[in-house]
Amino acid sequence: DGGITQSPKYLFRKEGQNVTLSCEQNLNHDAMYWYRQDPGQGLRLIYYSQIVNDFQKGDIAEGYSVSREKKESFPLTVTSAQKNPTAFYLCASSIVSGGYQPQHFGDGTRLSIL
Amino acid sequence: SQQGEEDPQALSIQEGENATMNCSYKTSINNLQWYRQNSGRGLVHLILIRSNEREKHSGRLRVTLDTSKKSSSLLITASRAADTASYFCATALNTGGFKTIFGAGTRLFVKA
């Protein structure tokens, strides 16, 4: 079945450490997104990519970095510059970008600080 | 209010009752989407309604859109315990380029 796979499900970060969250899709979608969700809140956009080798900052990109070297993969690195990284991170994809098509989501990675 | 703000924040009903959730937004939209999120899981797309549509149905779901009032409602009929989840509206703005904004969601509890 086609879908989006996020790994790991749970991740712990030590002080000063960078950690990378994986996101893989086999839906052949061009657009991919990373969102951050804090308890009881909506989704905030971190980064998005409309096509391979291209990505743009979202509303809360500071302290995060991404790459899009392959169509099916869009990893997110949470750097040590992100001082409050504890959150639920969701990856999504859509056929094209622009909000005109539904987004398909993975089951998230929960990141906590040790 | 923010773009894509749901009301109420939480809703508790008995199984078999109908559940209505509302979403208000501020700026012109291309479409409005509703998603469901079960606890600890990703969002699942439920229905998309375009700005030139007034009502859409999908199974037990009915979505209405009133662009003059900048509001939408999601009705779940004959609710089941399995409908317990958070429901989010997402608005795709009419500005060109990418912009989809998610609200904070309505938490629905359906008691068996």
Side-chain angles (χ1 to χ4, degrees):
Chain A
D1 286 339
I4 297 183
T5 301
Q6 289 188 242
S7 62
K9 192 169 178 63
Y10 299 95
L11 187 58
F12 298 91
R13 197 192 86 169
K14 295 180 181 179
E15 194 76 30
Q17 185 182 43
N18 293 352
V19 292
T20 297
L21 285 60
S22 171
C23 177
E24 303 278 330
Q25 56 103 353
N26 60 3
L27 299 167
N28 200 33
H29 287 174
D30 284 319
M32 297 187 75
Y33 317 85
W34 274 106
Y35 294 93
R36 170 179 172 141
Q37 185 177 33
D38 292 281
Q41 297 187 31
L43 278 62
R44 291 185 290 169
L45 182 65
I46 305 172
Y47 269 96
Y48 67 100
S49 169
Q50 299 179 78
I51 199 167
V52 176
N53 292 322
D54 182 65
F55 50 83
Q56 285 81 44
K57 293 182 180 180
D59 299 320
I60 54 165
E62 186 175 349
Y64 300 97
S65 66
V66 293
S67 63
R68 186 85 187 276
E69 297 176 0
K70 298 187 296 181
K71 187 175 185 177
E72 57 270 24
S73 179
F74 191 39
L76 173 74
T77 296
V78 183
T79 75
S80 57
Q82 173 49 246
K83 298 306 180 187
N84 182 24
T86 297
F88 190 49
Y89 290 87
L90 288 161
C91 179
S93 70
S94 62
I95 294 174
V96 294
S97 68
Y100 305 144
Q101 296 293 332
Q103 294 184 26
H104 298 253
F105 285 81
D107 270 341
T109 292
R110 191 167 299 280
L111 176 62
S112 303
I113 298 178
L114 279 178
Chain B
S1 68
Q2 300 178 29
Q3 180 80 353
E5 192 170 275
E6 291 93 339
D7 170 63
Q9 290 186 317
L11 179 61
S12 182
I13 60 174
Q14 291 291 138
E15 205 167 32
E17 294 180 339
N18 295 343
T20 300
M21 290 158 268
N22 304 295
C23 173
S24 60
Y25 58 91
K26 295 172 71 175
T27 60
S28 176
I29 61 172
N30 174 277
N31 68 67
L32 186 145
Q33 302 170 38
W34 285 92
Y35 289 81
R36 182 188 74 229
Q37 183 181 35
N38 289 83
S39 182
R41 303 294 298 275
L43 277 68
V44 174
H45 179 259
L46 296 176
I47 201 162
L48 181 153
I49 186 165
R50 303 194 188 283
S51 59
N52 61 353
E53 297 175 308
R54 292 295 166 259
E55 186 170 313
K56 282 189 86 168
H57 297 255
S58 177
R60 292 183 297 111
L61 306 180
R62 181 172 78 98
V63 169
T64 61
L65 178 64
D66 187 334
T67 53
S68 67
K69 294 182 179 178
K70 291 187 168 60
S71 68
S72 172
S73 67
L74 170 66
L75 168 68
I76 303 174
T77 59
S79 62
R80 306 165 181 168
D83 294 328
T84 294
S86 292
Y87 292 82
F88 296 87
C89 71
T91 50
L93 303 190
N94 238 349
T95 56
F98 173 82
K99 199 66 174 179
T100 296
I101 302 176
F102 288 82
T106 292
R107 294 186 180 184
L108 173 65
F109 300 92
V110 181
K111 294 176 283 189

